[in-house]
Amino acid sequence: MGKKSFGFLILGVLLAGYIYEPLPDNVEEPWKIMLLNTFLKTSSYLAQFAEILGLNHFMKSMTFFSSFQYSPPTSDENITVKDTTFNDIPVRVYVPQQKTKSLRRGLFYIHGGGWSLGSNDYYTYDLLSRWTADRLDAVVISTNYRLAPKYHFPVQFEDVYTALKWFLDPQILESYGVDPGRIGVSGDSAGGNLAAAVAQRLLEDPDVKIKLKVQSLIYPALQNFDFNLPSYQENAHYPVLSKSLMVRFWSEYFTTDRSLKKAMLSNQHIPLESSHLFKFVNWSSLLPEKFKKGYIYKTPTHGSSELAKKYPGILDVKASPLLADDSKLRGLPLTYVITCQYDVLRDDGLMYVTRLQNSGVRVIHNHIEGAFHGTLSFLFTKVGYRAADQYINWLHENL
């Protein structure tokens, strides 16, 4: 073997070692997940390197690496697609081309990305919205919102609520031919967080007369109180969304002050005077037995009151919808929750399912075995396609 061939062999072995990721046996098409994870971890390493050198903020670099996903607002033979604004908030609107004499369903969708990344014009969100609009014969509003690190809580929440409230105006609904009795809100990950938060807020807003028929929460982030849930421990280092990255997203939602991330990683960020709120996120009483996996509940160590005073959003129900008391949950609409087996956010969704059911809310829970966080964005995988199909079918039957 020549030196050149030997060099290529060594390079191939190193590359294979970099790409390879040991995955659980029940993961379908593991090579696709490995390739996806290779891109994600390479982007993350480069973004971390740029941040260490002081060249760019981590999230800004990650936004740059994700920008290739841009998809223009292109109409086709089935759907008219248009970028516009709802009360100055950018939205992308999908309207079926086929004429109808009856009013259509309306779905308000909120993209994910840890309140720091993502856009409604990413290819996967654009494709999912097209499929939804076409198969449901529905008007789909896919909203954007201002992102961290430039903007922090509650800006993201307020942007989404402003756009949703604009859409729910009877005159706006009439202009789009939407049935005011058949409107839903949906979102994935951080978008699922925002969807849950705005659905709760609508119940308290006397200016909004139109009620949501459904809410659909796709692997939502619903609390920042306890980062030692079984799902955080079990899936801390799995592909797509590690515990460290999720905690970074949460801390960036509130501030660029890295001391908050450090406190969150050690689960020492909630002050003693707010300890009564832990009952709303106590997984020992809210998780089904099969998801406890032998883990032992430990009451989180209380943190400094100074952090909560500087960043009160960490105690705000608009940031952590699981903190809502039962009386606030009772008025929520029919709910669909998707959770994934290998996802740090799995138990957030599971606890919300339990709390909603305990409050008398009708809930359909779709737990996807062998799946990772972000599955509905991985439409190139069998499990991702099935999950999207199930999601749209549920909306078709219930919205």
Side-chain angles (χ1 to χ4, degrees):
M1 180 184 293
K3 291 183 179 180
K4 197 173 196 180
S5 298
F6 183 72
F8 279 121
L9 177 62
I10 295 298
L11 182 63
V13 170
L14 292 174
L15 183 61
Y18 180 70
I19 293 173
Y20 178 74
E21 184 82 26
L23 299 175
D25 293 338
N26 66 339
V27 174
E28 285 187 82
E29 303 175 306
W31 61 274
K32 288 186 178 181
I33 300 300
M34 289 182 201
L35 289 175
L36 170 68
N37 192 55
T38 298
F39 169 76
L40 293 175
K41 69 181 179 182
T42 301
S43 301
S44 180
Y45 291 155
L46 291 172
Q48 290 177 47
F49 187 59
E51 188 169 60
I52 290 170
L53 294 178
L55 300 176
N56 205 9
H57 189 281
F58 175 82
M59 295 302 176
K60 291 181 179 179
S61 296
M62 291 298 290
T63 296
F64 172 76
F65 293 133
S66 303
S67 60
F68 76 95
Q69 298 185 60
Y70 171 74
S71 181
T74 306
S75 300
D76 57 33
E77 66 274 13
N78 298 315
I79 304 293
T80 298
V81 183
K82 179 183 179 182
D83 284 342
T84 185
T85 59
F86 281 6
N87 203 11
D88 297 326
I89 306 300
V91 299
R92 180 166 286 190
V93 181
Y94 300 80
V95 180
Q97 295 266 27
Q98 186 175 357
K99 293 183 179 180
T100 178
K101 293 182 180 179
S102 59
L103 295 175
R104 289 188 163 100
R105 304 173 174 96
L107 183 71
F108 188 89
Y109 192 88
I110 310 161
H111 72 77
W115 309 278
S116 305
L117 308 172
S119 174
N120 62 4
D121 59 26
Y122 280 10
Y123 173 77
T124 51
Y125 289 122
D126 182 70
L127 183 58
L128 183 63
S129 293
R130 288 174 185 273
W131 285 0
T132 305
D134 187 34
R135 287 176 51 180
L136 268 63
D137 189 31
V139 174
V140 175
I141 309 298
S142 182
T143 190
N144 268 346
Y145 47 91
R146 287 171 288 179
L147 301 171
K150 186 175 182 180
Y151 301 99
H152 300 291
F153 176 85
V155 170
Q156 291 85 340
F157 170 85
E158 290 173 345
D159 282 359
V160 170
Y161 193 71
T162 295
L164 176 59
K165 194 170 177 178
W166 178 272
F167 179 54
L168 293 178
D169 183 287
Q171 292 183 330
I172 301 297
L173 293 178
E174 183 179 1
S175 69
Y176 283 105
V178 172
D179 184 344
R182 303 182 74 184
I183 298 171
V185 64
S186 182
D188 67 293
S189 193
N193 166 282
L194 293 166
V198 296
Q200 291 181 7
R201 178 68 173 273
L202 283 174
L203 298 177
E204 302 174 335
D205 192 335
D207 296 330
V208 180
K209 307 302 180 185
I210 293 171
K211 305 296 182 183
L212 295 175
K213 186 175 182 182
V214 302
Q215 64 172 340
S216 179
L217 312 178
I218 304 169
Y219 30 82
L222 296 171
Q223 60 86 33
N224 70 82
F225 263 49
D226 189 354
F227 294 110
N228 255 345
L229 306 177
S231 60
Y232 271 101
Q233 297 183 61
E234 181 184 352
N235 306 310
H237 304 293
Y238 272 141
V240 185
L241 186 64
S242 66
K243 174 179 177 177
S244 177
L245 180 57
M246 190 62 229
V247 171
R248 177 76 188 262
F249 280 138
W250 268 115
S251 64
E252 292 285 346
Y253 191 22
F254 303 115
T255 177
T256 53
D257 179 357
R258 300 298 290 276
S259 66
L260 179 59
K261 181 191 176 186
K262 183 178 179 181
M264 285 179 161
L265 276 173
S266 61
N267 233 27
Q268 297 179 13
H269 57 291
I270 304 301
L272 176 62
E273 55 268 30
S274 300
S275 59
H276 63 285
L277 296 173
F278 278 108
K279 65 183 179 183
F280 296 125
V281 296
N282 186 330
W283 62 262
S284 67
S285 62
L286 294 172
L287 285 185
E289 284 299 322
K290 73 173 185 176
F291 292 103
K292 295 180 181 179
K293 305 270 181 90
Y295 290 100
I296 305 300
Y297 180 77
K298 297 179 181 179
T299 303
T301 305
H302 302 300
S304 166
S305 299
E306 292 305 310
L307 274 178
K309 289 176 182 176
K310 287 173 69 175
Y311 313 115
I314 64 175
L315 307 176
D316 196 316
V317 68
K318 295 191 296 296
S320 295
L322 261 167
L323 298 182
D325 60 40
D326 291 348
S327 63
K328 190 171 184 178
L329 298 179
R330 289 190 188 106
L332 289 171
L334 171 64
T335 301
Y336 182 68
V337 178
I338 294 177
T339 57
C340 297
Q341 183 178 6
Y342 303 118
D343 181 5
V344 293
L345 296 181
R346 180 193 69 206
D347 293 348
D348 282 25
L350 289 169
M351 290 193 295
Y352 204 47
V353 167
T354 299
R355 294 216 43 222
L356 290 173
Q357 290 173 336
N358 291 345
S359 298
V361 177
R362 289 176 57 211
V363 184
I364 303 298
H365 176 214
N366 180 11
H367 180 67
I368 307 174
E369 294 287 328
F372 296 91
H373 187 81
T375 290
L376 263 76
S377 293
F378 312 150
L379 299 174
F380 55 89
T381 66
K382 292 178 182 178
V383 66
Y385 184 88
R386 283 199 306 270
D389 187 58
Q390 292 165 356
Y391 161 75
I392 295 173
N393 284 341
W394 185 89
L395 288 171
H396 190 275
E397 294 172 3
N398 294 280
L399 181 56

